[in-house]
Amino acid sequence: MDPVIIVGAGPVGLTLALALARHQVPSIVLDEGSGVCPEGVRSSVLRADTAALLTRVGYQRVAADGRGWTGWRTQRRGRELIHLPLAPGEAVHLSQHRLQRGLRDAVSATPLIQLVHDSAVVEFEQDQDGVNVRTARTWWRGSHLVGCDGPRSGVRKQLKVRFPGHAAADHYAVATIRADLPLPGEARLHRDPPRSPGAREVTARPLPDGVWRLDWRLPVRQAPLTPDALIEHLRSALADWNDGAVPPYELISTADHVVQQRLATRFQLGRAFLAGDAAHLLGSLGMQNLDEGLRDADNLAWKLALVWHNCATERLLASYQQERRAAVIARLRSADQARPLLQPSTPLLEVRRSVLSGSLRRNATLLSDGSLGTGRLGSAPAYPGAGRAALSPNLPPTSPGVLVPDVPVVTADGATDRLRARLGRGFLVVLVAPGTAVWASDYWLGAGLMPQLTEATRALPLPAELLVTEEYPTAAPHTVLLIRPDGHLVAALRGCHPDDLWTLADRARGGSADLPLPRTDTVAAARVPADRP
């Protein structure tokens, strides 16, 4: 079969190519640029799951190139509202140019990926077997086409897919500086800072090498700050965080950033797909559009791979749009619900909230959720089946569709690893078996459920690996977990039931819809609450 053609060599397009290569699927990445990654103010906060994705597809320097945060503080008028200690790897702040260079290095080391520079797409056409893509130099033939070419996506425009939404959902003045500030590993958000009467909110997020990114939220319709006004805001913010004194600093770069909020009406049309900024834009309240774009790539890669290897039909690919578009809709809806609680529209409303109701204090966690990847503004979505998505951060880890926690596992040959490190090659079958760490693998591979489960895993209609874990949150001993290649749980079974395991795997690959679901007494499943508008 022909390689997958990816248009756009940004972080999402390169990650998709690397994820496909992990599934042994070749790709051609068409980059309209020259491959140069200039420095700038752009940066992203990666959550544990998206950082783990980048690591396992080949970008091993994520932790070294980024800055892991040790905590988060939310203040208002100099008073602390929230202090959240963070575990290592819970939030990693990474500049865009370092991320881009790291991914390009990983691509260069991957023979299955052909990266072609200076190759803007002129046109493309589809037929029942693949796609033909024309650049200024030549025609390319591929099995499928994925547009990862940003908010002005040419692929989306040629597909005639609309991109409605808000042209200005939020507005920020941005500066990156190098300075020695107190609590160097902590990000902080200051609402109504006392020394900056014209600033509604300022966020400071540390990067490596003593660099900080500062974002001032401005009224949406306000003109960009003048250089003098930006310097005044900067000095006031630094004084707020340094006991009234302005420390020495180096101004590296500045920008004016208007946050758009948009969603493509379709993510798929035939053999063509949209992902990342080409499919959605969100960034209000600290939400990270890159996180959602990386989840697009992770979701689409394994589905394209199963189809490419003839382990599934094209029907499976429809679930990409169903799941990912529903997840972004739920995220945007949550932002629309939260914004009135956090962004006063008039001075009178601000007085009423601060003096009478204390609304901001009660909802202060919303100010950190988007940046930290928690709550409904940032946590990973769940895909409970039937093309649905739910933003339910409090679901138990055995609920169908949740992103599985990164527990220690043992492979069939006795090697130890982390669960998320095994993702991205096929499905995982995980047996919860307390005590396996005490015994050599030669012993427990032939004991208990293992022989039957080994045969059941081999008989599945798709690639799968059998693992064992000592414990898994909320799962009883001898629970069997079926996990998708992107880390989302298909189901948790009580004991080994080969027919049920096969049926669940077949459904997960878009197989026979007329097969009955496994018996409810063998499935350890929780009800998934529907997202409410």
Side-chain angles (χ1 to χ4, degrees):
M1 188 178 288
D2 295 311
V4 175
I5 296 178
I6 300 169
V7 180
V12 174
L14 295 177
T15 300
L16 176 59
L18 289 165
L20 286 170
R22 190 169 166 86
H23 289 283
Q24 299 301 305
V25 175
S27 63
I28 298 169
V29 181
L30 301 178
D31 179 14
E32 69 175 3
S34 61
V36 177
C37 307
E39 296 189 21
V41 300
R42 298 186 66 183
S43 63
S44 298
V45 183
L46 299 175
R47 281 61 165 191
D49 64 305
T50 48
L53 166 63
L54 294 178
T55 300
R56 70 174 175 263
V57 299
Y59 179 22
Q60 303 294 329
R61 304 196 310 266
V62 174
D65 285 352
R67 178 62 187 263
W69 295 347
T70 59
W72 172 283
R73 293 178 187 268
T74 300
Q75 297 173 287
R76 187 184 189 200
R77 295 174 181 167
R79 299 180 60 184
E80 186 172 290
L81 298 179
I82 289 178
H83 177 216
L84 299 172
L86 299 177
E90 195 170 345
V92 178
H93 193 196
L94 191 64
S95 62
Q96 185 91 346
H97 70 274
R98 287 193 177 187
L99 171 61
Q100 194 89 345
R101 290 172 187 171
L103 288 170
R104 285 180 182 268
D105 289 346
V107 164
S108 298
T110 308
L112 285 172
I113 304 173
Q114 182 180 0
L115 177 57
V116 188
H117 301 301
D118 301 314
S119 296
V121 172
V122 177
E123 62 176 318
F124 63 87
E125 56 189 25
Q126 304 187 54
D127 55 50
Q128 63 180 8
D129 298 316
V131 294
N132 296 310
V133 180
R134 183 168 74 89
T135 62
R137 299 177 181 179
T138 186
W139 282 89
W140 302 88
R141 178 67 178 176
S143 64
H144 299 85
L145 173 70
V146 186
C148 304
D149 48 342
R152 296 183 175 88
S153 169
V155 172
R156 188 187 63 241
K157 292 174 182 176
Q158 290 188 53
L159 290 172
K160 294 182 171 52
V161 172
R162 295 187 303 109
F163 201 37
H166 301 300
D170 240 331
H171 183 196
Y172 294 92
V174 185
T176 54
I177 64 168
R178 183 173 283 107
D180 184 13
L181 296 180
L183 304 172
E186 290 195 350
R188 60 202 73 176
L189 182 148
H190 202 162
R191 196 70 181 270
D192 303 323
R195 291 183 176 86
S196 303
R200 303 165 66 186
E201 177 183 300
V202 58
T203 305
R205 293 176 284 187
L207 284 158
D209 306 322
V211 176
W212 293 78
R213 170 172 166 166
L214 279 69
D215 294 69
W216 290 267
R217 174 174 280 136
L218 306 175
V220 170
R221 294 177 178 82
Q222 178 178 316
L225 293 180
T226 64
D228 289 343
L230 181 61
I231 293 298
E232 182 181 350
H233 276 61
L234 172 59
R235 293 178 62 85
S236 298
L238 294 177
D240 280 331
W241 290 319
N242 201 51
D243 296 326
V246 179
Y249 67 91
E250 174 193 353
L251 181 61
I252 299 173
S253 57
T254 64
D256 185 76
H257 177 45
V258 176
V259 176
Q260 297 188 54
Q261 191 167 285
R262 295 184 181 275
L263 180 67
T265 54
R266 301 186 68 168
F267 283 17
Q268 178 190 6
L269 198 64
R271 289 178 171 267
F273 301 83
L274 300 173
D277 290 1
H280 47 72
L281 293 174
L282 63 161
S284 182
L285 303 179
M287 293 188 300
Q288 302 292 307
N289 200 51
L290 176 60
D291 250 10
E292 296 302 330
L294 294 177
R295 288 168 180 151
D296 291 345
D298 206 12
N299 187 290
L300 182 57
W302 71 268
K303 296 172 181 177
L304 281 173
L306 285 183
V307 173
W308 198 90
H309 288 294
N310 295 316
C311 293
T313 66
E314 294 279 339
R315 180 167 57 184
L316 172 64
L317 299 177
S319 67
Y320 166 69
Q321 171 174 295
Q322 294 165 352
E323 292 181 345
R324 289 302 304 144
R325 192 169 184 275
V328 176
I329 287 174
R331 193 82 74 199
L332 293 173
R333 183 183 298 127
S334 296
D336 287 342
Q337 292 171 339
R339 197 176 294 108
L341 300 173
L342 301 174
Q343 289 188 204
S345 56
T346 66
L348 176 60
L349 188 55
E350 165 65 8
V351 170
R352 290 178 60 191
R353 284 194 176 130
S354 62
V355 176
L356 299 178
S357 67
S359 175
L360 181 61
R361 179 175 292 275
R362 289 199 305 271
N363 296 286
T365 55
L366 294 173
L367 290 169
S368 60
D369 281 346
S371 293
L372 298 182
T374 54
R376 296 177 65 82
L377 293 179
S379 62
Y383 306 124
R388 294 182 294 141
L391 296 183
S392 302
N394 297 321
L395 283 174
T398 50
S399 295
V402 299
L403 183 68
V404 295
D406 193 22
V407 299
V409 293
V410 181
T411 66
D413 60 4
T416 58
D417 207 343
R418 305 292 302 188
L419 178 56
R420 287 181 182 169
R422 311 301 298 183
L423 298 172
R425 289 194 177 98
F427 278 62
L428 299 180
V429 178
V430 182
L431 172 65
V432 181
T436 48
V438 179
W439 303 97
S441 60
D442 291 343
Y443 173 79
W444 52 257
L445 277 173
L449 297 177
M450 286 301 295
Q452 185 184 15
L453 195 54
T454 300
E455 292 303 316
T457 302
R458 290 173 181 164
L460 292 180
L462 37 71
E465 180 184 16
L466 177 59
L467 303 170
V468 178
T469 184
E470 280 269 314
E471 58 181 355
Y472 182 91
T474 72
H478 309 303
T479 296
V480 176
L481 310 168
L482 180 62
I483 301 169
R484 302 186 339 179
D486 59 356
H488 288 269
L489 183 68
V490 177
L493 300 170
R494 296 192 185 100
C496 181
H497 302 273
D499 291 344
D500 292 344
L501 194 64
W502 196 97
T503 299
L504 289 165
D506 188 54
R507 282 181 172 272
R509 65 167 183 160
S512 304
D514 55 345
L515 287 175
L517 281 171
R519 300 184 304 275
T520 56
D521 62 332
T522 65
V523 180
R527 290 181 60 84
V528 180
D531 271 326
R532 296 182 179 179

